[in-house]
Amino acid sequence: MDPVRIAIDAEGGDQGVPVVVRGVLEARRLWGDAFEALLCGDRAPIMQQLELAGCTDTGVWLHVEHCPERIVDSATPSQVWRRHPGSSVVRCVSLQREGAVDASVSAGDTGVLMSTAVFLLGKSPGVHRPALAATVPTVGGGLAMLLDVGANTNCRSEHLVSFASLGSEYSRSLFSSEEPRVALLNVGEEHFKGTPVIADAHETLKQECRGYVGFIEGSRVLSGDADVIVCDGFVGNAMLKVCESFYALTERVLSSDPRLLETVTRRMAILNADNYGAVPFLGVRGIVLKAHGRSSAQAITSAVGTTISAVRRGAIPRDGVGSHRRREHSYAR
Amino acid sequence: MDPVRIAIDAEGGDQGVPVVVRGVLEARRLWGDAFEALLCGDRAPIMQQLELAGCTDTGVWLHVEHCPERIVDSATPSQVWRRHPGSSVVRCVSLQREGAVDASVSAGDTGVLMSTAVFLLGKSPGVHRPALAATVPTVGGGLAMLLDVGANTNCRSEHLVSFASLGSEYSRSLFSSEEPRVALLNVGEEHFKGTPVIADAHETLKQECRGYVGFIEGSRVLSGDADVIVCDGFVGNAMLKVCESFYALTERVLSSDPRLLETVTRRMAILNADNYGAVPFLGVRGIVLKAHGRSSAQAITSAVGTTISAVRRGAIPRDGVGSHRRREHSYAR
């Protein structure tokens, strides 16, 4: 099987090049020939880190794409792809557009990555706005999908409806489930709860989404009562990140008992942000994953693993998840 | 010291009268003479539950206020206090207005309880909208305040600014801290992140809130980096409730090892929704607490405990938390 070719933004994360390089080298140790990495960023610091690590594989499975340009902070996300074509994040997605890689991963700004992906790769047919979908563990031992987790902080009801469709399709591909149960996050489960946007989305979903099971509260997000949980990106981001905070708190509570701590953190490993690494954009024509801004080396390693399996499983088709089933004809571009 | 007189909505919770009665009787066992309960609801089922429990204290520390009226589901929250004056929740707050009790607790609908409290007791001077404030544990072993957690699902920036002021004042009373660090929840910490509402609130808080420390992400909500975390009620509700879900997940992960499970749940007891019981409305002229709709008997017991200490500590003054310090003169009505 050909290795999965991944463009990796070496400069996207808060912790810079050293962490990305360490993460990629560890991924090589774990998954060997399963992938090739194309590191995009300033060549000098990347080469320095590779030398420090004693890595001489440049040109073999590891390639460096020199990106001299920096993103000026004042550039709005939607302008970056045009104004800074030589920046590391834009080069990743450009290389993907050119067919040089199969997927891109960046720990950089979500808005910049989404705009760049939308402008350079395009949206899937019928998609209003792409969304970031996180996979979360459930109490019963399964997995559920939560979206959006940060790509869209201000949503109208049609965006939420679109996320339901994106999540449902992705869940079908990922878990081979026939009819994923889709729920809409709300502050309560009675029909009169929530905002007008939520109420509107609820009415449309009742009509149009076959697997729709109604409202769900935060307390049931990890319960396994739904396979796909739809919310706006502000709320989804907050919920996903508070889980990280909770993980840290668990560690603190158990810190006086090292043996217990070790047992619990090992068993709860699936909840640690470092282990999921990156989440995919759904509704983009191509496989683009967003890693956490604060990614550790371990998170980058996991992000590479997640990308390999996203490409291998074909859960995100090359022309994107997200076309409504009823609009399958529109796949024919 | 006189017992704290608490009006308790016997019918507010999803699990009805039996759970509320059991919770109140357990509270009596724990805190004895510290409180008197005035149970508001349909007399017959309340008396039946008391009989079943072998309780003969009616008229001693436990009183029953017969409330024959039911809230019709179609009534909008803001109309309930006028349309259903004989309902259990409205009677609780009416009795408080009449001075018959010191505080009210209900596990009923948040919107109904808030509107009833605002109309019957009034808002504190200078308050736009009252907010529900939850106290959450922090990694360092302390506590932080999160508001709003469900009273306002659609906020403008001035509401968020007002929550900062409410939370700050409450935090000062509760923890005797000089200058609580106030943070605004956002999807990132860079200045360009978030919605226009968040950006506006950020600018105002920088000018007007002395303890303001800027944006905070969900991953730092439990970190202890802020004493007061401000967000809209939709997000706050989702975050608080996902913590419950997380607690259940922790239990699941450890279920195969009963000894370990027992140790962990004991040590993490503070994270269990059953243990905090109820959260106060800030910005209302009086002590009104909202218990979880799904409250268990244990949660009701905790809610009684929380109410006793809220009244005893005087953290919520009788005329309400929430007047801006700079507007102290307006306390003189």
Side-chain angles (χ1 to χ4, degrees):
Chain A
M1 201 180 283
D2 286 342
V4 173
R5 301 162 305 161
I6 309 172
I8 300 167
D9 178 2
E11 302 191 348
D14 299 346
Q15 300 188 61
V17 171
V19 155
V20 175
V21 169
R22 281 214 313 280
V24 170
L25 295 180
E26 174 63 13
R28 174 69 179 183
R29 204 183 62 76
L30 290 176
W31 296 297
D33 288 342
F35 76 105
E36 287 189 4
L38 214 163
L39 287 176
C40 296
D42 191 3
R43 183 185 299 276
I46 295 174
M47 295 309 293
Q48 188 188 10
Q49 290 302 318
L50 290 171
E51 258 173 53
L52 271 172
C55 171
T56 55
D57 291 350
T58 320
V60 185
W61 65 272
L62 182 68
H63 312 271
V64 178
E65 172 82 4
H66 180 52
C67 306
E69 204 170 341
R70 292 292 151 275
I71 296 172
V72 180
D73 201 30
S74 62
T76 63
S78 60
Q79 297 168 334
V80 165
W81 70 278
R82 189 182 282 135
R83 291 201 182 173
H84 302 289
S87 63
S88 57
V89 59
V90 179
R91 279 307 291 150
C92 284
V93 183
S94 300
L95 288 163
Q96 185 171 350
R97 180 191 165 103
E98 293 159 15
V101 294
D102 303 304
S104 299
V105 181
S106 173
D109 180 74
T110 308
V112 169
L113 183 59
M114 179 159 97
S115 303
T116 304
V118 165
F119 283 110
L120 293 181
L121 304 176
K123 287 191 287 187
S124 310
V127 168
H128 284 274
R129 290 199 204 163
L132 279 175
T135 308
V136 294
T138 64
V139 174
L143 293 168
M145 190 165 298
L146 180 65
L147 80 164
D148 177 37
V149 296
N152 308 276
T153 52
N154 229 348
C155 292
R156 295 199 302 274
S157 59
E158 60 265 36
H159 301 138
L160 297 175
V161 172
S162 169
F163 300 162
S165 167
L166 284 169
S168 196
E169 190 174 337
Y170 187 49
S171 177
R172 266 193 296 267
S173 325
L174 210 56
F175 309 125
S176 309
S177 57
E178 263 308 291
E179 194 66 73
R181 293 159 304 159
V182 178
L184 182 61
L185 185 82
N186 200 357
V187 293
E189 290 169 15
E190 300 89 342
H191 66 90
F192 55 85
K193 292 275 190 177
T195 63
V197 167
I198 295 290
D200 273 5
H202 178 61
E203 288 308 315
T204 309
L205 288 168
K206 280 199 291 187
Q207 303 293 322
E208 295 187 5
C209 178
R210 279 216 308 166
Y212 186 58
V213 295
F215 292 138
I216 198 165
E217 291 179 68
S219 47
R220 293 204 294 142
V221 161
L222 308 181
S223 68
D225 295 336
D227 303 305
V228 176
I229 294 144
V230 170
C231 57
D232 79 45
F234 197 102
V235 183
N237 189 274
M239 286 199 300
L240 190 65
K241 286 180 177 166
V242 91
C243 285
E244 295 173 29
S245 202
F246 204 104
Y247 188 84
L249 186 62
T250 310
E251 284 187 312
R252 202 276 304 175
V253 170
L254 301 174
S255 62
S256 59
D257 187 336
R259 194 197 60 82
L260 190 59
L261 176 64
E262 195 274 328
T263 312
V264 173
T265 49
R266 182 165 41 77
R267 292 204 196 167
M268 292 175 72
I270 194 173
L271 307 171
N272 187 342
D274 281 348
N275 294 326
Y276 60 74
V279 291
F281 280 100
L282 305 185
V284 165
R285 285 185 192 272
I287 302 175
V288 177
L289 290 100
K290 163 79 178 89
H292 201 307
R294 271 192 253 287
S295 286
S296 62
Q298 187 188 336
I300 296 293
T301 305
S302 305
V304 171
T306 303
T307 309
I308 295 169
S309 58
V311 175
R312 286 265 189 263
R313 280 183 311 215
I316 308 173
R318 297 290 156 114
D319 61 350
V321 165
S323 312
H324 231 281
R325 287 266 149 152
R326 291 169 305 165
R327 295 181 190 149
E328 258 169 1
H329 62 276
S330 60
Y331 266 112
R333 288 175 268 169
Chain B
M1 202 182 279
D2 286 342
V4 172
R5 299 164 307 163
I6 309 173
I8 300 167
D9 178 1
E11 303 192 345
D14 299 347
Q15 301 188 60
V17 170
V19 155
V20 174
V21 169
R22 280 214 313 280
V24 170
L25 294 179
E26 175 62 12
R28 173 71 178 181
R29 204 183 62 75
L30 291 176
W31 296 297
D33 288 342
F35 76 104
E36 286 189 5
L38 214 163
L39 287 176
C40 295
D42 191 1
R43 182 184 300 275
I46 295 175
M47 296 307 294
Q48 188 188 9
Q49 290 303 316
L50 289 171
E51 258 172 54
L52 272 172
C55 171
T56 55
D57 291 350
T58 320
V60 185
W61 64 272
L62 182 69
H63 312 272
V64 178
E65 172 83 5
H66 180 52
C67 304
E69 204 172 337
R70 293 292 151 275
I71 295 171
V72 181
D73 201 31
S74 62
T76 63
S78 60
Q79 297 168 334
V80 165
W81 71 279
R82 189 183 279 135
R83 291 199 182 174
H84 302 289
S87 64
S88 58
V89 59
V90 179
R91 278 308 288 150
C92 283
V93 183
S94 301
L95 288 164
Q96 185 171 351
R97 179 191 166 102
E98 294 160 15
V101 295
D102 303 306
S104 300
V105 182
S106 173
D109 180 71
T110 308
V112 169
L113 183 58
M114 179 160 96
S115 304
T116 304
V118 165
F119 283 110
L120 293 181
L121 305 176
K123 287 191 287 189
S124 311
V127 168
H128 285 274
R129 289 198 204 165
L132 279 174
T135 308
V136 294
T138 63
V139 174
L143 293 168
M145 191 166 298
L146 179 67
L147 79 167
D148 178 35
V149 296
N152 308 277
T153 51
N154 229 346
C155 292
R156 295 200 303 273
S157 60
E158 61 264 37
H159 302 138
L160 297 175
V161 172
S162 168
F163 300 163
S165 168
L166 285 169
S168 198
E169 189 174 338
Y170 186 50
S171 179
R172 266 194 295 269
S173 326
L174 210 57
F175 308 126
S176 309
S177 59
E178 263 309 291
E179 195 66 74
R181 293 159 303 159
V182 178
L184 182 62
L185 185 83
N186 200 357
V187 293
E189 289 169 16
E190 300 90 341
H191 65 93
F192 55 84
K193 292 276 191 175
T195 63
V197 168
I198 294 289
D200 275 3
H202 179 61
E203 288 308 316
T204 309
L205 287 169
K206 280 200 288 188
Q207 303 295 322
E208 295 187 6
C209 178
R210 282 215 305 166
Y212 186 57
V213 295
F215 292 139
I216 199 165
E217 291 180 68
S219 47
R220 293 204 295 141
V221 161
L222 309 181
S223 69
D225 295 336
D227 303 305
V228 176
I229 295 142
V230 170
C231 58
D232 80 44
F234 197 101
V235 183
N237 189 274
M239 286 199 299
L240 189 65
K241 286 180 177 166
V242 92
C243 284
E244 295 173 30
S245 204
F246 205 104
Y247 187 86
L249 187 61
T250 310
E251 286 188 309
R252 203 274 304 170
V253 169
L254 301 175
S255 62
S256 58
D257 187 337
R259 195 198 59 84
L260 189 60
L261 176 63
E262 195 274 330
T263 313
V264 173
T265 49
R266 183 164 40 79
R267 292 202 197 168
M268 294 177 69
I270 195 172
L271 308 170
N272 186 341
D274 281 348
N275 294 326
Y276 59 76
V279 291
F281 281 101
L282 304 185
V284 165
R285 286 184 190 270
I287 302 174
V288 176
L289 290 100
K290 164 78 176 93
H292 202 307
R294 270 192 253 286
S295 286
S296 62
Q298 188 189 337
I300 296 293
T301 305
S302 304
V304 171
T306 303
T307 309
I308 295 170
S309 57
V311 175
R312 286 264 191 265
R313 281 182 312 216
I316 308 172
R318 298 288 157 114
D319 60 350
V321 164
S323 311
H324 231 279
R325 287 264 150 153
R326 292 169 304 160
R327 294 180 191 151
E328 256 167 2
H329 61 278
S330 62
Y331 266 111
R333 288 176 265 168

